[in-house]
Amino acid sequence: MSQLLEVSGVSVSFDGFKAINNLSFSIGPAEMRAIIGPNGAGKTTFMDIVTGKTKPDEGSVLWGDMSKNLIGMNEAKIARIGIGRKFQRPTVFEDQSVFENLLMAVKNDRSPWSVLFFKPKFKDLAKVEELASEIGLSDQLERKSGELSHGQKQWLEIGMLLAQDPQLLLVDEPAAGMTLGEREHTTDILKEAAKTRAVVVVEHDMDFVRRLECKVTVLHEGSVLAEGSLDHVTQNKDVIDVYLGR
Amino acid sequence: MDFVKKHPSLPAFIATLLIFTLAVTFLSEAYGTGTMSTSFVKTLGKTLCLALVAISMDLVWGYTGILSLGHFAFFGLGGYMIGMWLMFARTKLIVVESMAAADIPATAMEIKDAVGTQIFGVVGSSDFPLVWMFAHSFWAQIALVVLVPGLLALVFGWLAFRSRVTGVYLSILTQAMTLALSLYLFQNDSGLRGNNGLSGLQNLPGLDAVSQDAVSIWFFWASAFALLVTYLIANFVVSGKFGSVIRGIRDDEARVRFLGYSVEGFKLFVFVLTAIIAGIGGALYYPQAGIINPAEIAPIASIYLAVWVAIGGRGRIYGAVIGAGVVSLVSTYFTGGQAPNINLGFYTIKWVDWWQVLLGLSFVLVTLFAPKGIGGLFDLISGRLSPSRKGAPLGPDQGSLREQEAEK
Amino acid sequence: MIRRILAACLVFLTLALSAQAQDRTIQDVLQEHAEAIVKSSRTTIGPAIEAVANSGQPSAQTVLQKWQNKDMWQWSENGFFYAATVDGSEITLTDFDTGDIVATVAKGDVTQLKPNSGIRAMIGAALVQFQLNDPDAERRREALLAIQRDGEASHLAPLRASIETEDNPDIKALKEVTERLLTISFDKDDARRIAAIEGFAASLSLDARAALNPVLSAKLVYAEDLPETANIKREIKPGSEALSVSDAFALMVSAGAATAQPTLSERKSALTEHIIDGKVGGVPVAELTRQDARDHAYQALASEGLVPAFDPAFSMEAAVKGVRFAEVYDEPSAAVTDAAQKTLHTINRAVGVNQFLDLSLDGLSLASIYFLAAIGLAITFGVMGVINMAHGEFIMMGAYTGYVVQQIIPDYTISILVAIPMAFAVTFAAGVAMERLIIRWLYNRPLETLLATFGVSIALQQIAKNIFGTQARPLTSPGWLDGALVFNDVLAISYIRIAIFVLALIFLGIFLFIMKKTRLGLETRAVTQNPRMAASMGINPDRVNMLTFGLGSGIAGVAGVAIGLYAKVTSEMGTDYIVQSFMTVVVGGVGNIWGTLLGALGIGFLQKGIEWFNPSNTLAAQTYMIIFIIIFIQFRPKGIIALKGRAAGD
C-alpha cells in the first residue's frame, strides 16, 4: 500500500536545541494513528513541519501518490492540497458566528477574487447544516462562536476541519476540556473520519487513545521511540522509562 | 433587498447623505439661498473626501487589522496625479493666450517650453521631467490617479506581506514608506516642484467663466457620489465570505492560513483596493483645496487618519465616516479661530493653540475608555451591549478586535 | 617764529644725536632719493624703495609702512620726510629715526606723498622681507599665511632669502612650504617648479592642491590648427560628456572654421521683422504654427537675400564630425603639467583615504546619535514591547529641560552637568506617569498603545510650542567642547561628536549593567517573558513595568540633552528621530541591545555612504536609506540579530 504521507530523516533545531532529530514517520490513506510522548518530545513541532509552519533543517516530507515534496510550500498551499490541522487550544474566529466559521472552512475556491463574489450555493449550505448537526451545534449557528463553551469550540474546530474535506487530519489534543460523553462523541467522529482519510491524533489521555483502537507512535526527544499497538508500546521498556513511568 | 437586510445601516446612510447633499445645495451661493459661503461648501466637500479615505482606512485597519500609516500618502499621490493635469492644462491655456498676442503664432514646441518655464521656473528648471509625460492628457492622468497609488501599494504590500511583517512592525514600515515618499517629494529635482507643490488646482481649465461658487458645488456633488459608491463597495466587500476571511485575518492570521486561504493575497487585495480608493479621494480633495505639497503626505497625516477612524469607531464603515466628519469639522472650527477664547483670569486659553492638546488627550481617552468610538453610541441606543470579559482581544493577532469593540 | 627756531633746534639736536649713534640715518637715505620719492613715478621709484629696504636701519620698516599708507609727509621747511598725524588743520610731524615729535605745523607747510597703487604694491613687496624677518614669530607666521593665501611673484626673493636665517623650526617648515607654493606659481625655471611640485607629494593641504590646480588649468579648443608647441592634455570627441556637439560647433565658429547658422530665435525674429501684409516670404502668418512652415518662409526670405542664409539640412553633428578638439593646458611646459598631474594624483589618493576615514568618523557619530535616540526605545519597545510614539517627545522634553537649566545656570559646564540628571528626572517622571495612566491598560494591545501614545505625542508637542514658541532654542555646549580634533586638513572630528560618542558608549554600558547585573534587570526580563510566572514568584509586575518604562523614558531625556547640543531644540525635534529610532531597533532586531547597536551603526554608515555618492542632497539620502531598510526587512524580517524558535513567539 502506498503511503499518503512519508516523513523521512527530518531534523530541526532551535538555537542548538534539537527539537526533532532524524524523525521518520509514515501513514496510509485511510488510517488512524495516535501519537503520544512526554512534553517536549516534538509532537507539536512535528505537526508544524508537516503543515509548513516550520522549515526543517534537513530531511524530506513527501505527500500523496505523486510524492510531492511539501518542504518549502506555505501553510495555505499545504492546507489546500488536503492537510487539515486542529490546534491544541481551540482556535475559532470568536467574533464571527458559527455559521460564518463553518462556511469559511467549506471546501471551495480560495482565491481572493472568487471569495469576493462568492454566493453560498445549496450544497454549501447543506454541508454546513450537516456538519453542524454532526458536531451538535445546529441550534447555535447564529451565535457568535466566542460565546460557546470550551468543548463546543473544540467541536466547532473539528467541524471546520471536516468542512475542509482534507485527506489528512492532524488533531492536537481534541479531547482536552471535554466531559466523558463529549469525548465519546469526539471518538466517534474521528473514527468515522478515519474510514475515508488519514487521521493523526496527538493525545495524552491514555483512555482516549485506547478507545481510538489504532496504531500508536511514541515520540521521545524528537525521534520515534516505539511504534505499534497500544498494548505493544506500553509493554516497551523504553517507553515505560521515559513516559509512562513505573 | 437581501443586501439591505444584511446592512441595516445602509438606507439610513443613503438617506442622510442625500438629505445632506440637498441641504447644502439649497443653501449654496450658486444654486440656492446663498446662506452657506462657498468656502464652507468647499470645507464640507473636502470633509466628504476625508470620510472616503477614512472608509478605506477602516477597511484596511478595522476589518483586516493592518494599521497602515501610509494611506494618506496614497491620498496625496492621487491629488498629485490630478493636480499635474490641472496645472498643465491651465498653464497651457494661459500661455497660449499670452502668446496669441505675438506677431507670429507659436509652435507646439514653443508652447511646451513656455509652459515648462512657467511651471518649473520656481525650482530653477524649465524642462518637463519624465513623470509629466502624460500630463497633457486628462484621461491618462485620471488613469494614473488609480494606477500610481495602486501600483505603489501593490509593490510595497507584496514586499511587506510576503515577508510576514505584521502588527506594529508593519505600521512602522508603512510609516517609513510615507516618510520616504514625502522626503522624496520635498526635493526640488523630484519633478513635482519640491516643497512648492502644485497650486492653482481650484481653477478648472477652460471653465474660467464658471464661478467658484458653482465649481465648489459640482465638486461637492462628485465627492458625495464617490462617498456613496465607496460606502456601497466597502459594505459589499465586508459582508459575504470575503469579509469573514479578512476579519479572520485580523483576529487570527495563522488560523486563516491553515484553512487554506492565502493570507498574503487577501491582505494585498485589500491594501491595493483601499490605496486606490484613497487615491480617488485625493483626486477629488485637492482640486477643492487648491494646493498640494509634500507636507500633506507627511506621516502625521496618516496617523490622523487612524485617529479619525478610531474616534468614529473602527470595524464599522459608518464609524469611519462619522469619525472623519466630526473630527475634521471640529478641527476646522477650533483651528479656524472661530471658537471663543476662554479667559481664566491669569491665562487666556486660545483654542488655536490648545486645540491640538485637546485632540491628543481626547484621543487617549477614547482609546482607553471608548474603544468603540462614537459609533458605539449607536449600540447604546439599540441596546446591543456585549458582556464584559475584561476586554480580552478576540484573537491572538496584534490587530485583533477587542471584545468590547465587537458587536453582539 | 620762536616755535620755528625751537623746532629747528630740535631737529638739529635729534640729527646730532642719531649721528652720534650711527653714521647714517634713514633720513639720509630718503634725502638721497628725495627727488625720486617726490616724483613718485613707477619707473624711477624702484631704487629708492630698495635703498630704504636695504638700508639696514631699524626704522626702515616703519618708513615703508607709513609711505605705503600715505602717512609720510615732506616738510617744505627743510625738505625732510616725516611721519605725520593729521588733527584738523594741524599736522604733527614725527621723526622716523628717533620717534620724537618734531613739530606741529599747518597744512600748507607740508606736502603729503601719495604713491599710486603700483608703487604701493612695490612698497608692499619690499615690506614682506621685514615681516618675514620680524622678531615676533607669530608675526612671521601671519605673514607667511597671508602669502599662502595671496602670493605674488615679488614675494619669492625675500622669502627665499629669509629661509636661511630662520631659527624657529616650525616657521622654517612653513617658509619652505610657502616657498614651494610660490615657486610652483611664479618661478621661471621649470626644473625648480617640478622639484617644488614633487615636494608636495606627501602633503594633504588644501593649499598644495590650490597651487597645483592652476598649473593644470586647461581649456577646450578647436584643435585643427593648434601650434606644435601646445601642451595638449587630451583629445576630445565632440558629443561626449566633456564637450557637447553644440559647444564643439561654437568652438569651431569662434575659431573661424565654420559659419554659424542663424538660431531658432534669430530666425523667428527675422521672420517677425519681415511680415508684409500678414505674410512672410509668401506664407500667411497664421500658418507659421509649425516649424517646417517657418523654415519654408525663412528660406523664401533668404533666397531674396533679406536674411542670412540658412541651410535646413545643416546638422551640427555632421559639421563637427572628424574635426579634432582638444583640451589644452594653459601652462606651456609638458614636464611641469605631467609632474603636477602625477603629484595631484598621489595627493588625491591620500586625500581619498583620509576622506574615507573622515566619512567613517561622520558615520560613527551619526550612528551614536541614532543609538542615543534609540536606546530608550530599545528598553520600552525592545524589552517591554511597548510601542511609544511619544518617545520623540521625551527626547524633546529632555532637550528643553537642558535649555531651561541653561537659563537659570549661566555657566555652561555646570549647567550641562545639572541638566543631564534633571532631564533624566523629568522624563523619568513623565514616563512613569504615562505608564501608570495609559500604557498599563493597553498591554498586549500594541496598536492601541501606538495610537494612544501618539495622542500624547501631539499634545506634548503642542504644549511645548505653547510654552517655548515655534522658533528654535539654542542649547549651548561648554567652551571645552568647542572646536574639533584635527588630524590633518581632511580628517577632523568635532569634540561634541566625540562627546556624543562617549555618551553613547556610557549608555550602552549602563544598559548592559542594569539588564544583566541588577535586580531590576532580572525582574524586567522575567516580567516581559512571563508576567504571571514572575508575579507568582513575588515580583510585582506593575512596579517593574513602571520602573522599566521610566528608565527608558529617562534615557530618552538624557539623549535629548545630547542631541540638543548638536541640533536645534524645537517642539518638533522628536518627530525627526522617532521613525529613525524605530527603524534602528527594528533593523537591529527587537529585544537585543547589540542588535540596536548594529542597527544604529548600519543606518548611520549607510546614510553617510549614500550622502557621499550624492553629497548635495541629504533628503535623497534619507529617502534611499528608508527604501533600503524596507528592502532589508524583506530578507531579515526579525532584524540583524533575531530570536529564533518558539521564543520568537510567532
Side-chain angles (χ1 to χ4, degrees):
Chain A
M1 188 174 84
S2 80
Q3 298 294 309
L4 180 68
L5 178 78
E6 203 156 340
V7 176
S8 48
V10 166
S11 296
V12 68
S13 59
F14 302 123
D15 283 334
F17 167 70
K18 280 222 160 185
I20 296 285
N21 188 9
N22 196 21
L23 176 79
S24 295
F25 175 90
S26 67
I27 188 167
E31 190 187 340
M32 167 85 81
R33 178 76 60 90
I35 295 182
I36 57 173
N39 282 325
K43 302 186 296 285
T44 304
T45 309
F46 163 72
M47 285 196 174
D48 284 349
I49 289 172
V50 174
T51 53
K53 192 179 171 194
T54 302
K55 304 261 172 289
D57 300 332
E58 55 186 75
S60 67
V61 181
L62 301 177
W63 169 257
D65 295 334
M66 312 291 290
S67 288
K68 206 170 184 175
N69 195 349
L70 295 185
I71 293 171
M73 286 168 80
N74 66 33
E75 296 98 311
K77 223 170 181 177
I78 289 174
R80 281 202 296 272
I81 66 169
I83 297 180
R85 179 174 182 183
K86 190 210 151 297
F87 288 85
Q88 207 163 336
R89 263 185 61 211
T91 48
V92 294
F93 301 107
E94 311 214 352
D95 182 38
Q96 305 190 31
S97 67
V98 173
F99 177 80
E100 283 171 315
N101 268 290
L102 285 172
L103 190 64
M104 223 193 296
V106 171
K107 192 171 183 177
N108 266 310
D109 190 351
R110 297 304 209 214
S111 77
W113 201 252
S114 56
V115 170
L116 183 60
F117 294 105
F118 174 81
K119 267 199 166 14
K121 287 179 227 27
F122 179 74
K123 73 171 173 64
D124 301 319
L125 297 175
K127 176 96 181 171
V128 170
E129 290 289 341
E130 181 204 322
L131 284 167
S133 69
E134 194 172 339
I135 57 177
L137 291 173
S138 289
D139 304 337
Q140 324 276 353
L141 274 179
E142 290 310 315
R143 276 183 74 188
K144 278 211 169 163
S145 58
E147 296 162 8
L148 299 178
S149 73
H150 185 82
Q152 283 174 317
K153 282 183 193 169
Q154 292 274 43
W155 267 342
L156 176 55
E157 203 183 354
I158 293 171
M160 288 165 73
L161 198 61
L162 295 172
Q164 290 178 71
D165 201 14
Q167 285 172 267
L168 169 66
L169 276 85
L170 300 172
V171 190
D172 207 347
E173 299 200 19
M178 285 186 176
T179 62
L180 200 64
E182 286 169 339
R183 281 168 183 232
E184 272 168 14
H185 187 62
T186 308
T187 321
D188 293 342
I189 292 175
L190 291 176
K191 276 167 117 173
E192 180 64 31
K195 284 178 184 160
T196 51
R197 59 199 96 206
V199 178
V200 176
V201 182
V202 169
E203 188 54 77
H204 279 299
D205 185 339
M206 280 301 160
D207 293 334
F208 187 83
V209 173
R210 189 171 298 283
R211 269 199 296 275
L212 289 175
E213 297 168 336
C214 65
K215 197 170 158 186
V216 175
T217 301
V218 186
L219 289 190
H220 176 60
E221 290 179 350
S223 42
V224 177
L225 191 67
E227 207 166 62
S229 70
L230 185 63
D231 292 330
H232 171 77
V233 298
T234 46
Q235 305 297 318
N236 187 308
K237 188 178 172 297
D238 292 341
V239 175
I240 295 169
D241 280 351
V242 303
Y243 184 46
L244 299 174
R246 276 162 226 273
Chain B
M1 268 302 86
D2 211 28
F3 195 65
V4 174
K5 215 183 273 170
K6 244 191 235 171
H7 305 281
S9 68
L10 205 58
F13 180 81
I14 294 173
T16 313
L17 189 64
L18 197 69
I19 292 167
F20 179 62
T21 310
L22 288 175
V24 171
T25 308
F26 289 133
L27 292 174
S28 72
E29 289 187 26
Y31 299 100
T33 58
T35 336
M36 194 180 273
S37 74
T38 296
S39 71
F40 193 64
V41 171
K42 282 190 178 182
T43 304
L44 292 178
K46 285 190 286 183
T47 307
L48 292 181
C49 297
L50 295 178
L52 197 157
V53 66
I55 290 180
S56 77
M57 183 70 191
D58 198 17
L59 279 184
V60 81
W61 178 36
Y63 283 90
T64 321
I66 305 166
L67 177 51
S68 161
L69 300 179
H71 268 60
F72 226 82
F74 301 129
F75 186 78
L77 277 179
Y80 262 105
M81 290 307 129
I82 199 69
M84 280 157 81
W85 176 75
L86 283 169
M87 199 161 177
F88 179 89
R90 193 175 141 78
T91 312
K92 188 174 170 183
L93 283 179
I94 293 168
V95 164
V96 167
E97 200 176 315
S98 71
M99 280 187 150
D103 293 329
I104 294 182
T107 61
M109 197 63 204
E110 282 173 336
I111 291 173
K112 199 179 167 209
D113 288 347
V115 173
T117 314
Q118 195 64 238
I119 294 180
F120 299 108
V122 69
V123 289
S125 165
S126 64
D127 299 329
F128 275 96
L130 202 61
V131 291
W132 286 71
M133 63 189 295
F134 298 116
H136 59 274
S137 155
F138 172 70
W139 292 111
Q141 287 299 134
I142 287 287
L144 288 181
V145 164
V146 174
L147 287 177
V148 170
L151 277 178
L152 179 63
L154 187 69
V155 171
F156 179 85
W158 185 77
L159 286 173
F161 300 143
R162 70 173 271 282
S163 57
R164 300 211 178 152
V165 181
T166 55
V168 281
Y169 298 93
L170 188 59
S171 301
I172 293 169
L173 209 59
T174 53
Q175 192 184 14
M177 175 200 77
T178 315
L179 185 65
L181 186 69
S182 73
L183 287 177
Y184 178 76
L185 289 174
F186 262 119
Q187 298 172 69
N188 277 346
D189 51 5
S190 67
L192 290 166
R193 295 181 14 123
N195 62 353
N196 305 290
L198 308 179
S199 54
L201 310 183
Q202 72 279 24
N203 305 307
L204 299 186
L207 289 177
D208 287 337
V210 184
S211 76
Q212 284 291 314
D213 299 342
V215 171
S216 64
I217 281 290
W218 295 353
F219 268 105
F220 181 81
W221 289 339
S223 307
F225 179 71
L227 180 63
L228 178 65
V229 172
T230 308
Y231 191 84
L232 293 177
I233 290 176
N235 266 305
F236 172 70
V237 166
V238 302
S239 55
K241 192 163 137 187
F242 193 91
S244 216
V245 173
I246 58 175
R247 279 181 291 152
I249 290 172
R250 173 192 65 199
D251 293 338
D252 193 344
E253 187 177 314
R255 187 72 185 90
V256 176
R257 213 171 258 135
F258 285 115
L259 277 179
Y261 291 97
S262 151
V263 168
E264 292 70 33
F266 280 82
K267 281 184 173 176
L268 199 56
F269 185 93
V270 174
F271 199 64
V272 172
L273 174 75
T274 53
I276 289 172
I277 293 175
I280 293 171
L284 282 167
Y285 179 93
Y286 286 104
Q288 302 183 62
I291 183 165
I292 179 167
N293 59 47
E296 303 270 328
I297 289 178
I300 190 145
S302 294
I303 303 183
Y304 272 119
L305 188 57
V307 170
W308 298 339
V309 174
I311 287 184
R314 71 188 165 113
R316 57 186 94 204
I317 308 275
Y318 61 87
V321 175
I322 293 170
V326 169
V327 179
S328 75
L329 285 180
V330 173
S331 279
T332 312
Y333 174 71
F334 279 114
T335 54
Q338 286 131 309
N341 294 338
I342 298 178
N343 195 341
L344 297 179
F346 59 95
Y347 185 82
T348 307
I349 294 179
K350 295 197 190 87
W351 282 115
V352 180
D353 288 341
W354 286 95
W355 159 242
Q356 195 94 319
V357 178
L358 185 70
L359 179 67
L361 294 181
S362 55
F363 187 48
V364 173
L365 295 179
V366 167
T367 316
L368 285 178
F369 300 113
K372 281 177 173 180
I374 299 173
L377 293 176
F378 291 90
D379 293 352
L380 275 182
I381 294 165
S382 57
R384 286 188 294 188
L385 289 178
S386 21
S388 172
R389 280 199 318 188
K390 298 188 180 165
L394 289 180
D397 280 346
Q398 295 189 325
S400 65
L401 214 58
R402 283 201 270 158
E403 195 185 36
Q404 64 249 51
E405 286 176 78
E407 288 171 72
K408 195 171 179 182
Chain C
M1 189 66 208
I2 296 170
R3 259 173 72 180
R4 280 203 173 177
I5 294 165
L6 260 172
C9 288
L10 210 71
V11 169
F12 181 75
L13 206 70
T14 48
L15 281 175
L17 276 172
S18 50
Q20 263 178 354
Q22 274 157 335
D23 295 315
R24 274 161 67 89
T25 64
I26 197 80
Q27 193 63 259
D28 295 338
V29 181
L30 288 170
Q31 285 307 312
E32 230 166 75
H33 296 276
E35 198 183 331
I37 292 173
V38 174
K39 193 182 170 199
S40 201
S41 154
R42 228 181 133 173
T43 45
T44 52
I45 198 79
I49 295 172
E50 212 165 300
V52 174
N54 298 334
S55 65
Q57 297 291 333
S59 52
Q61 189 181 356
T62 323
V63 171
L64 289 173
Q65 275 166 351
K66 295 282 178 194
W67 190 4
Q68 192 185 28
N69 295 338
K70 301 182 188 174
D71 283 336
M72 186 159 84
W73 297 61
Q74 189 181 29
W75 194 7
S76 54
E77 182 94 4
N78 52 11
F80 283 10
F81 299 96
Y82 295 104
T85 44
V86 182
D87 183 20
S89 61
E90 296 214 317
I91 292 177
T92 312
L93 299 178
T94 313
D95 186 84
F96 283 123
D97 293 293
T98 59
D100 296 333
I101 292 174
V102 179
T104 306
V105 297
K107 241 187 181 162
D109 297 332
V110 284
T111 322
Q112 186 183 11
L113 293 168
K114 293 177 178 165
N116 64 26
S117 61
I119 294 172
R120 284 210 305 278
M122 289 168 79
I123 299 172
L127 268 171
V128 164
Q129 61 167 301
F130 290 104
Q131 289 161 358
L132 291 176
N133 294 314
D134 198 287
D136 182 357
E138 202 41 51
R139 285 275 244 329
R140 297 205 294 279
R141 183 194 302 280
E142 276 168 22
L144 285 166
L145 293 177
I147 291 174
Q148 284 197 356
R149 274 196 302 276
D150 197 8
E152 285 170 25
S154 60
H155 295 156
L156 197 49
L159 178 58
R160 281 184 183 152
S162 74
I163 291 177
E164 277 297 304
T165 55
E166 180 61 57
D167 46 11
N168 182 327
D170 283 355
I171 305 278
K172 188 160 188 168
L174 191 61
K175 279 184 173 174
E176 279 163 355
V177 168
T178 315
E179 189 267 337
R180 282 208 298 268
L181 287 170
L182 285 181
T183 305
I184 292 171
S185 303
F186 300 112
D187 201 295
K188 302 274 182 291
D189 178 15
D190 281 353
R192 283 174 93 161
R193 295 176 69 192
I194 292 170
I197 287 169
E198 281 165 355
F200 275 122
S203 166
L204 284 176
S205 80
L206 292 170
D207 297 318
R209 281 179 280 162
L212 291 176
N213 279 326
V215 173
L216 290 172
S217 71
K219 56 173 173 276
L220 290 162
V221 294
Y222 170 69
E224 286 294 341
D225 47 5
L226 215 55
E228 283 294 303
T229 53
N231 184 7
I232 295 176
K233 185 180 179 188
R234 55 177 178 150
E235 295 226 355
I236 290 180
K237 273 220 165 70
S240 61
E241 204 175 312
L243 181 66
S244 69
V245 169
S246 62
D247 286 350
F249 186 72
L251 285 174
M252 283 179 77
V253 171
S254 62
T259 331
Q261 293 278 333
T263 63
L264 207 63
S265 59
E266 279 166 5
R267 277 180 277 148
K268 190 183 173 190
S269 54
L271 289 175
T272 318
E273 279 165 24
H274 290 90
I275 299 176
I276 302 162
D277 296 337
K279 284 187 175 182
V280 187
V283 181
V285 166
E287 284 175 21
L288 294 178
T289 53
R290 286 168 47 189
Q291 195 55 45
D292 53 352
R294 287 187 181 185
D295 288 348
H296 187 73
Y298 190 87
Q299 227 34 275
L301 292 176
S303 62
E304 287 174 47
L306 293 169
V307 294
F310 168 68
D311 177 11
F314 168 81
S315 100
M316 283 190 189
E317 279 84 0
V320 299
K321 197 172 182 195
V323 180
R324 288 175 61 210
F325 294 92
E327 221 178 331
V328 174
Y329 285 118
D330 296 330
E331 167 65 46
S333 161
V336 171
T337 49
D338 284 352
Q341 190 75 266
K342 219 175 117 200
T343 309
L344 200 60
H345 187 72
T346 318
I347 293 178
N348 280 343
R349 207 165 41 201
V351 167
V353 169
N354 278 288
Q355 269 173 344
F356 177 76
L357 291 176
D358 192 53
L359 202 69
S360 306
L361 282 182
D362 276 0
L364 196 64
S365 68
L366 193 64
S368 351
I369 289 166
Y370 285 155
F371 182 71
L372 267 184
I375 188 165
L377 266 192
I379 298 175
T380 55
F381 178 50
V383 178
M384 297 174 71
V386 171
I387 186 145
N388 179 14
M389 294 302 277
H391 183 79
E393 276 57 48
F394 286 164
I395 292 178
M396 171 198 75
M397 279 168 75
Y400 273 122
T401 308
Y403 168 74
V404 170
V405 169
Q406 284 203 336
Q407 301 310 300
I408 300 164
I409 306 174
D411 184 296
Y412 290 138
T413 307
I414 299 173
S415 67
I416 288 294
L417 291 179
V418 175
I420 288 180
M422 277 294 287
F424 185 87
V426 168
T427 46
F428 180 89
V432 166
M434 192 160 122
E435 202 275 342
R436 284 289 87 185
L437 293 173
I438 301 169
I439 289 169
R440 73 167 160 147
W441 307 106
L442 298 172
Y443 279 118
N444 301 321
R445 269 188 288 285
L447 292 185
E448 267 100 341
T449 317
L450 190 157
L451 291 171
T453 52
F454 169 72
V456 175
S457 150
I458 56 174
L460 284 178
Q461 246 182 60
Q462 186 63 43
I463 290 172
K465 209 175 280 174
N466 292 350
I467 296 174
F468 296 101
T470 45
Q471 79 266 41
R473 298 289 180 181
L475 194 56
T476 318
S477 54
W480 47 269
L481 277 179
D482 287 345
L485 183 62
V486 179
F487 295 99
N488 58 40
D489 273 17
V490 181
L491 193 57
I493 181 167
S494 67
Y495 288 120
I496 290 206
R497 283 166 175 253
I498 296 176
I500 288 176
F501 177 71
V502 171
L503 202 60
L505 284 184
I506 292 173
F507 272 107
L508 176 63
I510 291 175
F511 180 93
L512 288 173
F513 176 76
I514 290 178
M515 282 299 151
K516 310 268 179 200
K517 300 278 179 204
T518 64
R519 182 81 196 161
L520 176 65
L522 184 71
E523 290 183 354
T524 305
R525 284 182 287 147
V527 168
T528 44
Q529 277 161 23
N530 192 338
R532 274 189 206 163
M533 180 66 97
S536 66
M537 295 181 76
I539 298 170
N540 179 355
D542 277 0
R543 193 183 132 270
V544 170
N545 278 332
M546 183 181 83
L547 288 180
T548 317
F549 194 83
L551 179 70
S553 308
I555 289 180
V558 180
V561 177
I563 290 170
L565 291 176
Y566 159 87
K568 285 272 184 295
V569 183
T570 66
S571 60
E572 279 157 9
M573 68 184 286
T575 48
D576 296 342
Y577 291 95
I578 186 75
V579 176
Q580 247 92 348
S581 302
F582 274 114
M583 283 288 147
T584 306
V585 176
V586 170
V587 165
V590 174
N592 189 310
I593 190 67
W594 298 107
T596 307
L597 185 64
L598 283 178
L601 284 173
I603 292 178
F605 278 100
L606 188 70
Q607 184 164 345
K608 281 292 159 192
I610 298 172
E611 274 177 35
W612 182 67
F613 280 113
N614 185 2
S616 62
N617 210 330
T618 46
L619 282 180
Q622 285 186 33
T623 312
Y624 296 135
M625 190 191 66
I626 293 170
I627 292 171
F628 183 87
I629 291 172
I630 291 174
I631 295 170
F632 173 83
I633 290 180
Q634 297 309 306
F635 297 103
R636 299 217 59 152
K638 303 267 174 219
I640 298 171
I641 297 181
L643 299 171
K644 280 191 201 134
R646 284 196 186 170
D650 107 276

